[in-house]
């Protein structure tokens, strides 16, 4: 745990590293990214162990969701770095010849990354990859709620990366508050909206730009499917997107399902059967599902279930094990919409099914609630797909799957409204830690003398036609053949 | 007119809440989403500037005593060209962008769809009162949002004209103007907006961002800074001088966020530079600049007093080498040059935003780059040189919103370049397509197929599944095949 008084020398060292210019060098960035790659390879077993300790995750889940996606992202950054770092030329109109214009990507400087506890490696290092690729000095503050992961990061990062330019500072709220009082060139925050507000308010003091990756209640709209092949496939994806994603403790986990009331019994049957198949009789033993992060969240979820109006809606599971912080995969049918299970982000292995008269009613249902990080739609109906895209708003929309958009690096990952703003993954990670500096290069050879005072009507007429890029009219005015324009 | 002001209600928190409620309703109806609506609004905006050019120029002159040509070039023509560009490109901007997908998500296809953010607030500044209210609005409208404009109260004639013309020409169920000062702005800032676009000072920028933080509202802040001009000796001096003087005094008499704030040049070259500047100033504004009609006035007595204070600072006495004339009653201030003022003088420690131009001399120009960047990143930085190495070093080491080599301010007019600040000079950018993006949410859409699925993704987990996952995530097709074969 970092002592607050000791932070200043660290920060000064980081600023000095940035000022020296070394983090801007392509060679430095490459070496850091390679260092990360080596860390992920050599520390794989320890990472699995830490995640098992913090969250009870099976190493396959840890690989799939964290180590694997990070490895993919580092490799992408390494192979794309030269391209990402190069200036982009901007087109200019003929009238400005022989000027040239470009956009030059430069690092912001010293950036702060605050990550969350549910994917403690993934959500820490994914932004770090972008920050390093973009040439910044970095402070990473991992979540103290995942202590084994936080401590492993604090131990390994200084060994594999340049400890003068990339630092891990561990701690809880007090350390977080102190860090937020400092002046950063960018803050990247993953967590809940309450803390998101605190982060942005602190950033406002220094005019620091922020990216906030928050959460929300991500709905899954479930249309009817006729083919059993399709049904089996999407059911697996739904369950993978809920219980298979850190036991539902993920910002993009399916929060609840919307289904047409006629199809609900079929859906429930499919879900129940597949849940048993995928998670077995003893999911905690087989680690086919993660456990709840801590007592506080366990009790929060238990309280949700203890509400009598909610408890009566449980149609599968519902068993809780306080000693082991484990809650079984639980399915509920139509819990009251005013209960906290339907007003707050669940962030746990409770899956409400809400039935609607028509599947299209899901659009209004979703629109009357805050914008979520993701909307999932399981359907083959092209009209419904188009309507969801144009009539709802969310960070992203995924059809016929869930969570997997996290692994795609050609589409931006981020929220809108209550689910946050800013985005990353792939090149978007690089961009989020970059200032795109506009550069206009002009020649001293030619001049539009009519740009300058003293003013007269002739100059004004020339300016008007120049701005319209009406070269012919410009010529006429110049030659005195036209007065007004 | 008299009746209007008597029955004018105070725009308070309640009024702001009811305004927001109304706009949320209209936005939810989907009215602003259609291409047709957006095009109609943009065309009408164009009509405002086309049909009311004289009224606009009169209002700006009443507020700022800006020369007509300056108002035309800097405000009217830019609005026109922004509208034209938006109208010409809107179709393209609105199209979803298809993107490639990798084997990790095979089989799949993906696209990025632009959608409006919703109900947005645009707060304009006083120095280019029409431009800085309407130019961002063009982006907001093109992107399909409902908009509230709050023009600067320091330009009452322009603010009132904007309110009148927007009310007359644009769809007032979706686009509204709220006039007022601190009280009205505070009432607006209490509401939950989907985006706030602010142009103004860093001090107020902080207030806006803190208010936005309460609602997790994203912001774009176009602020300012001390924009330096570094001048090398080996250049076409007459052209450079005109461009520097134009960027400074022909831009609202230095009251512009991208106006050159101070010059840095070598000790050897300074005398020549100063001489050329003095000559150009006399050619433009005559022997008595306070009599010239081509020089804009200072916006109000507060700013006039602020600028006077910078000149009356003890630390700069004896450093004033040209100008200094002022007329308090008429808010006129002559172009003034100062030489080698101390680094701790007032004039070097705040954004000047006026006709004072300090010139600092150094031995080697490169030595000044660190000094420049240590002062906080400005909105723009300028370099005049023919030396390629110096240009490259400048581009690499000087961080600013934008850089211009061998000219000043002109990058503002290039719509293919993003215009915005960094650090103290702001966040976010606009102009051209960047305006459209500033008011849009780019939504990722992933379509997954049913052709096959790696059961490796799901529990119950196993070592074999782990092998396949590794291959899938590495994007290696060969790896995937091998892993599948190894799986019997």
């Amino acid at each position: 745990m970092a002592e607050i008084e000791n932070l200043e020398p660290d920060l000064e060292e980081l600023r000095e590293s940035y000022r020296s210019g070394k983090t801007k060098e392509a060679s430095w960035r490459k070496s850091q990214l390679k260092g990360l790659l080596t860390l992920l390879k050599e520390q794989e077993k320890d990472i699995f162990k830490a995640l098992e300790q913090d969250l009870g995750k099976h190493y396959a889940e840890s690989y799939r969701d964290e180590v694997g996606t990070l490895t993919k992202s580092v490799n992408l950054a390494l192979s794309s770095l030269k391209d990402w770092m190069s200036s982009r030329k901007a087109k200019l109109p003929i009238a400005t010849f022989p000027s040239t214009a470009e956009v030059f990507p430069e690092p912001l400087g010293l950036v702060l990354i605050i990550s969350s506890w549910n994917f403690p490696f993934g959500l820490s290092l994914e932004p770090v990859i972008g920050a390093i690729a973009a040439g910044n000095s970095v402070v990473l503050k991992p979540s103290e709620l995942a202590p084994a992961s936080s401590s492993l990061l604090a131990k390994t990062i200084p060994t594999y990366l340049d400890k003068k330019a990339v630092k891990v500072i561990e701690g809880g709220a007090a350390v977080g508050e102190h860090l937020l009082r400092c002046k950063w060139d960018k803050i990247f925050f993953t967590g809940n909206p309450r803390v998101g507000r605190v982060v942005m308010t602190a950033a406002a003091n220094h005019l620091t730009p922020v990216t906030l990756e928050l959460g929300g209640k991500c709905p899954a709209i479930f249309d009817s499917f006729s083919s059993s092949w399709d049904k089996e496939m999407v059911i697996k994806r739904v369950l993978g997107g809920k219980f298979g994603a850190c036991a539902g403790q993920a910002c993009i986990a399916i929060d609840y399902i919307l289904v047409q009331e006629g199809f609900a019994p079929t859906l429930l049957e499919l879900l129940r059967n597949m849940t048993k198949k995928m998670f077995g009789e003893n999911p905690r033993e087989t680690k086919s599902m993660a456990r709840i992060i801590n007592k506080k969240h366990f009790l929060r979820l238990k309280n949700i279930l203890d509400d009598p109006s909610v408890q009566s809606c449980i149609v599968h599971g519902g068993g809780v094990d306080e000693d082991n912080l484990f809650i079984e995969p639980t399915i509920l049918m139509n819990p009251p919409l005013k209960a906290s299970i339907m007003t707050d982000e669940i962030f746990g292995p409770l899956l409400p099914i809400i039935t609607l008269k028509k599947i299209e009613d899901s659009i209004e249902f979703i629109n009357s609630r805050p914008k979520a990080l993701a909307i999932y739609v399981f359907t083959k109906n092209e009209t419904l797909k188009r309507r969801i895209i144009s009539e709802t708003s969310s960070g992203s929309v995924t059809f016929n799957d869930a969570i997997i958009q996290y692994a795609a690096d050609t589409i931006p990952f981020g929220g809108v409204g209550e689910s946050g703003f800013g985005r990353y993954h792939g090149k978007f990670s690089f961009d989020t830690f970059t200032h795109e500096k506009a550069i206009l290069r002009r020649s001293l050879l030619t001049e539009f003398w009519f740009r300058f005072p003293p003013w007269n009507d002739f100059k004004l007429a020339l300016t008007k036609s120049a701005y319209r890029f009406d070269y012919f009219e410009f010529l006429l005015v110049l030659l005195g053949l036209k007065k007004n324009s | 007119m008299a009746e209007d002001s008597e029955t004018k209600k105070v725009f308070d928190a309640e009024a702001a809440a009811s305004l927001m409620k109304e706009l949320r309703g209209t936005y939810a109806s989907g009215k602003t989403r259609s291409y047709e609506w957006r095009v109609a609004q943009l065309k009408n905006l164009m009509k405002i500037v086309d049909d009311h050019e004289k009224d606009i120029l009169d209002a700006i002159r009443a507020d700022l005593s800006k020369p007509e040509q300056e108002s035309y070039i800097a405000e009217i023509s830019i609005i026109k060209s922004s509208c034209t560009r938006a109208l010409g490109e809107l179709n393209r901007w609105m199209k979803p962008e298809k993107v490639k997908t990798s084997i990790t998500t095979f089989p799949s296809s993906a696209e990025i769809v632009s959608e409006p953010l919703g109900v947005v607030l645009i707060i304009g500044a006083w120095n280019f009162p029409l431009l800085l209210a309407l130019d961002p609005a063009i982006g907001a409208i093109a992107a399909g949002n409902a908009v509230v404009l709050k023009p600067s109260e320091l330009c009452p004639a322009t603010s009132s004209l904007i309110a009148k013309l927007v009310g007359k020409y644009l769809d007032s169920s979706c686009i509204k103007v709220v006039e007022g000062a601190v009280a009205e702005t505070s009432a607006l800032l209490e509401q939950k907006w989907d985006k706030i676009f602010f142009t103004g000072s860093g001090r107020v920028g902080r207030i806006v961002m803190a208010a936005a933080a309460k609602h997790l509202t994203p912001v774009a802040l176009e602020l300012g800074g001390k924009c330096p001009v570094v001048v090398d000796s080996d250049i076409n001096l007459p052209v450079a001088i005109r461009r520097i003087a134009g960027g400074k005094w022909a831009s609202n008499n230095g009251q512009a966020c991208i106006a050159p704030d101070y010059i840095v040049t070598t000790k050897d070259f300074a005398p020549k530079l100063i001489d050329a500047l003095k000559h150009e100033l006399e050619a433009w504004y005559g022997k008595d600049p306070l009599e010239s009609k081509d020089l804009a006035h200072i916006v109000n007595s507060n700013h006039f007093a602020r600028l006077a204070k910078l000149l009356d600072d003890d630390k700069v006495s004896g450093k004033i080498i040209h100008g200094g004339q002022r007329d308090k009653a008429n808010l006129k201030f002559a172009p003034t040059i100062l030489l080698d003022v101390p680094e701790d003088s007032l004039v070097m420690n705040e954004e000047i935003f006026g006709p004072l131009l300090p010139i600092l001399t150094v031995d080697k120009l490169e030595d000044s780059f660190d000094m420049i960047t240590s002062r906080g990143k400005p909105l723009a930085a300028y370099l005049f040189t023919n030396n390629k190495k110096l240009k490259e070093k400048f581009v690499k080491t000087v961080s600013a919103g934008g850089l211009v080599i061998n000219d000043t301010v002109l990058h503002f007019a290039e719509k293919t370049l993003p215009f915005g600040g960094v650090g103290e000079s702001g966040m976010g950018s606009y102009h051209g397509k960047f305006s459209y993006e500033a008011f849009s949410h780019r939504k990722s859409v992933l379509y997954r197929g049913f052709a096959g699925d790696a059961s490796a993704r799901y529990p119950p987990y196993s070592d074999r599944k782990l092998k396949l996952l590794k291959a899938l995530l590495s994007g290696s097709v060969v790896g995937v095949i091998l892993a599948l074969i190894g799986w019997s």
Side-chain angles (χ1 to χ4, degrees), chain A residues 173-202:
Chain A
V175 169
E177 267 164 41
H178 183 85
L179 286 170
L180 287 175
R181 277 200 288 276
C182 308
K183 179 175 157 71
W184 305 92
D185 295 300
K186 171 104 187 192
I187 300 177
F188 187 103
F189 171 80
T190 307
N192 69 50
R194 186 188 61 80
V195 182
R197 286 175 169 82
V198 171
V199 169
M200 189 172 170
T201 306

Side-chain angles (χ1 to χ4, degrees), chain B residues 254-308:
Chain B
Q255 300 165 99
C257 50
I258 45 172
D261 189 279
Y262 64 100
I263 288 182
V264 178
T265 190
T266 54
K267 291 187 164 38
D268 292 333
F269 193 62
K272 219 170 156 202
L273 173 66
I274 291 168
D275 207 44
L277 258 178
K278 285 185 182 179
H279 273 108
E280 199 68 33
L281 282 172
E282 192 173 311
W284 288 9
Y285 303 114
K287 284 211 183 314
D288 188 1
L290 295 186
E291 294 302 310
S292 167
K293 292 215 178 338
D294 287 338
L295 205 58
H297 293 192
I298 304 306
V299 66
N300 62 20
S301 46
N302 281 345
H303 280 278
F304 187 94
R306 179 182 65 78
L307 290 165

Side-chain angles (χ1 to χ4, degrees), chain A residues 232-304:
Chain A
E232 175 158 330
M233 182 153 296
V234 296
I235 287 294
K236 278 193 195 159
R237 291 174 178 181
V238 166
L239 293 171
K242 176 68 164 189
F243 306 125
C246 198
Q249 299 164 104
C251 50
I252 43 171
I254 292 177
D255 191 280
Y256 62 97
I257 293 181
L258 292 168
V259 69
Q260 197 158 311
E261 54 194 9
F263 192 65
T266 314
L267 174 64
L268 182 55
E269 182 76 21
L270 290 165
L271 285 173
R272 269 204 184 121
N273 290 337
M274 190 56 79
T275 302
K276 284 195 211 120
K277 254 167 84 177
M278 278 171 85
F279 300 98
E281 290 303 327
N282 202 335
R284 188 181 70 81
E285 286 296 319
T286 55
K287 289 201 276 282
S288 55
M289 193 174 87
R291 64 165 168 76
I292 307 306
I293 181 71
N294 61 18
K295 195 85 154 199
K296 177 167 150 218
H297 280 278
F298 176 88
L299 290 173
R300 177 182 64 80
L301 290 162
K302 182 168 175 294
N303 283 338
I304 289 177

Side-chain angles (χ1 to χ4, degrees), chain A residues 24-25 44 58-61 63-64 68-69 72 88 90-93 96 101-104 106 108 183 185 193 196-197 200-201 203-210 212 214 225 229-230 233-234 236-237 240 244 277-279 287-288 371 380 385 388-390 392-402 404-405 407-408 410-412 415-418 421 423 428 435-444 446-447 451-457 460 463-464 467, chain B residues 33 53 67-70 72-73 77-78 81 99-101 104-105 110-113 115 117 192 194 202 205-206 209-210 212-219 221 223 235-236 239-240 242-243 246 250 283-285 294 377 384 386 391-392 394-408 410-411 413-414 416-418 420-424 427 434 441-453 455 457-463 466 469-470 473:
Chain A
K24 291 184 179 180
E25 298 299 319
E44 190 178 275
H58 187 284
Y59 58 80
E61 185 176 336
Y63 186 84
R64 185 196 68 204
T69 48
K72 165 193 71 69
R88 226 175 42 238
K91 261 174 69 179
L92 289 181
T96 59
E102 67 198 64
V103 176
F104 176 85
E106 63 176 28
L108 291 167
K183 179 175 157 71
D185 295 300
R197 286 175 169 82
M200 189 172 170
T201 306
N205 272 330
H206 297 289
L207 292 171
T208 297
V210 302
L212 303 177
L214 311 175
F225 289 86
W229 167 270
D230 291 347
M233 182 153 296
V234 296
K236 278 193 195 159
R237 291 174 178 181
K277 254 167 84 177
M278 278 171 85
F279 300 98
K287 289 201 276 282
S288 55
K371 298 179 186 180
K380 283 187 138 167
K385 287 185 192 176
I388 297 290
I389 294 175
S390 58
T392 65
S393 180
S394 56
S396 66
V397 180
T398 298
F399 292 106
N400 295 320
D401 209 332
I404 198 164
Q405 73 272 24
T410 50
I411 47 178
V416 66
E418 285 281 324
F421 54 81
R423 61 218 184 155
F428 304 103
H435 166 52
E436 303 208 311
K437 186 165 72 180
I439 304 178
L440 179 64
R441 296 168 193 265
R442 298 262 297 147
S443 155
L444 287 166
T446 58
E447 187 53 278
R451 281 166 63 184
F452 307 118
W455 303 117
N456 57 47
D457 283 339
L460 184 59
T463 309
K464 286 190 180 190
Y467 263 102
Chain B
R33 311 286 299 253
E53 186 178 304
E68 196 174 289
Q69 274 84 344
E70 256 188 60
Y72 188 85
I73 292 174
S77 61
I78 295 190
S81 75
V99 294
K100 291 216 295 247
T101 52
T104 313
T105 53
E111 59 187 11
I112 302 173
V113 175
E115 57 182 33
L117 289 167
K192 178 179 156 72
D194 295 304
R206 282 170 169 82
M209 189 170 169
K214 295 204 179 82
H215 297 290
L216 296 170
T217 296
V219 301
L221 305 176
L223 311 175
I235 51 166
N236 181 336
V239 175
R242 256 180 262 139
R243 292 176 178 182
W284 288 9
Y285 303 114
D294 287 338
K377 302 173 185 179
F384 284 85
N386 279 315
K391 286 182 196 177
E392 291 326 303
F394 189 75
V395 168
K396 262 188 97 175
T397 51
V398 175
S399 182
L403 303 181
V404 186
I405 311 283
N406 291 330
D407 210 329
T408 61
L410 211 61
H411 62 305
E414 296 310 335
T416 51
L417 285 174
V422 64
E424 285 282 327
M427 56 186 81
F434 303 102
H441 167 52
R442 294 177 68 204
K443 183 163 73 178
S444 299
V445 180
L446 182 65
Y447 299 86
R448 286 271 291 155
F450 295 85
D453 218 8
S455 66
R457 282 170 65 181
Y458 311 115
Y461 298 119
S462 70
D463 278 337
L466 182 60
L469 279 172
K470 287 194 173 189
L473 281 162

Side-chain angles (χ1 to χ4, degrees), chain B residues 156-422:
Chain B
T158 313
S159 171
S160 142
L161 184 65
I162 291 175
K164 190 176 107 189
L165 294 176
V166 166
K168 183 170 164 206
Y169 282 80
L170 301 184
D171 181 349
S172 49
S173 69
C174 311
I175 303 171
K176 295 192 188 287
V177 178
V178 173
E179 294 192 78
V182 176
E184 290 78 5
T185 310
S186 304
L188 286 170
L189 286 175
E190 270 171 36
Q191 293 303 308
K192 178 179 156 72
W193 302 93
D194 295 304
K195 175 111 184 191
I196 300 177
F197 188 102
F198 169 80
T199 306
S201 73
R203 186 186 64 82
V204 182
R206 282 170 169 82
I207 296 172
V208 170
M209 189 170 169
K214 295 204 179 82
H215 297 290
L216 296 170
T217 296
V219 301
L221 305 176
E222 296 271 330
L223 311 175
K226 289 183 80 60
C227 302
V229 188
V230 178
V231 186
D232 199 1
S233 47
D234 177 28
I235 51 166
N236 181 336
L237 191 56
V239 175
I241 286 298
R242 256 180 262 139
R243 292 176 178 182
I244 294 171
K248 179 72 166 184
W249 295 291
S251 304
N252 209 16
N253 204 8
Q255 300 165 99
C257 50
I258 45 172
D261 189 279
Y262 64 100
I263 288 182
V264 178
T265 190
T266 54
K267 291 187 164 38
D268 292 333
F269 193 62
K272 219 170 156 202
L273 173 66
I274 291 168
D275 207 44
L277 258 178
K278 285 185 182 179
H279 273 108
E280 199 68 33
L281 282 172
E282 192 173 311
W284 288 9
Y285 303 114
K287 284 211 183 314
D288 188 1
L290 295 186
E291 294 302 310
S292 167
K293 292 215 178 338
D294 287 338
L295 205 58
H297 293 192
I298 304 306
V299 66
N300 62 20
S301 46
N302 281 345
H303 280 278
F304 187 94
R306 179 182 65 78
L307 290 165
K309 195 162 157 218
L310 297 180
L311 273 194
D312 296 338
D313 179 11
D314 283 338
K315 300 203 169 88
V316 310
S317 69
K319 310 281 185 192
I320 302 170
I321 57 170
H322 182 91
Q325 307 98 308
R326 4 172 174 161
D327 172 356
K328 193 164 159 190
N330 293 303
L331 296 176
K332 296 193 207 179
F333 216 114
T336 303
I337 305 176
L338 305 98
L339 181 59
D340 280 330
V341 294
E343 299 230 346
D344 61 349
S345 54
L346 287 173
V347 75
M348 281 312 293
N349 283 288
E350 63 177 67
E351 186 177 358
I352 294 170
F353 227 69
L356 317 183
L357 181 66
I359 299 180
L360 303 180
T361 60
V362 294
D363 290 315
K364 264 174 45 227
L365 286 180
E366 293 94 315
D367 296 343
S368 66
F369 293 176
D370 279 334
M371 183 265 289
I372 289 172
T373 45
S374 70
R375 288 181 175 284
K377 302 173 185 179
L379 192 47
Y382 307 112
L383 171 67
F384 284 85
T385 188
N386 279 315
N387 180 330
K388 195 159 183 250
K389 267 194 165 156
L390 194 65
K391 286 182 196 177
E392 291 326 303
K393 184 148 194 258
F394 189 75
V395 168
K396 262 188 97 175
T397 51
V398 175
S399 182
L403 303 181
V404 186
I405 311 283
N406 291 330
D407 210 329
T408 61
V409 310
L410 211 61
H411 62 305
F412 187 87
E414 296 310 335
K415 300 302 179 175
T416 51
L417 285 174
F419 183 83
V422 64

Side-chain angles (χ1 to χ4, degrees), chain A residues 287-428:
Chain A
K287 289 201 276 282
S288 55
M289 193 174 87
R291 64 165 168 76
I292 307 306
I293 181 71
N294 61 18
K295 195 85 154 199
K296 177 167 150 218
H297 280 278
F298 176 88
L299 290 173
R300 177 182 64 80
L301 290 162
K302 182 168 175 294
N303 283 338
I304 289 177
L305 288 179
D306 284 346
D307 176 348
S309 66
V310 171
Q311 178 140 131
S312 55
C313 302
I314 298 176
V315 290
H316 183 91
V320 306
D321 173 357
E322 189 157 340
D323 294 330
N324 292 302
L325 297 180
F326 199 82
I327 296 178
E328 303 189 275
T330 301
I331 306 175
L332 305 95
M333 185 64 86
N334 280 321
L337 297 180
K338 289 210 161 65
S340 67
I341 195 175
M342 283 311 293
T343 57
D344 301 341
E345 188 175 1
I346 295 170
F347 230 69
L350 317 179
L351 179 61
I353 301 175
I354 308 290
T355 60
L356 304 166
K357 287 234 163 349
K358 291 192 336 278
I359 197 65
E360 289 80 8
D361 294 342
S362 54
I363 293 176
E364 200 193 310
F365 190 96
I366 289 171
N367 284 343
S368 59
R369 289 166 169 75
K371 298 179 186 180
L373 193 46
I375 291 178
Y376 300 111
V377 193
F378 293 87
T379 184
K380 283 187 138 167
N381 181 335
E382 295 300 319
T383 309
L384 182 63
K385 287 185 192 176
R386 272 196 299 277
R387 282 195 68 191
I388 297 290
I389 294 175
S390 58
E391 294 177 42
T392 65
S393 180
S394 56
S396 66
V397 180
T398 298
F399 292 106
N400 295 320
D401 209 332
I403 312 276
I404 198 164
Q405 73 272 24
Y406 185 84
D409 32 49
T410 50
I411 47 178
F413 184 88
V416 66
E418 285 281 324
S419 51
F421 54 81
R423 61 218 184 155
Y424 69 135
H425 286 187
K427 179 163 195 276
F428 304 103

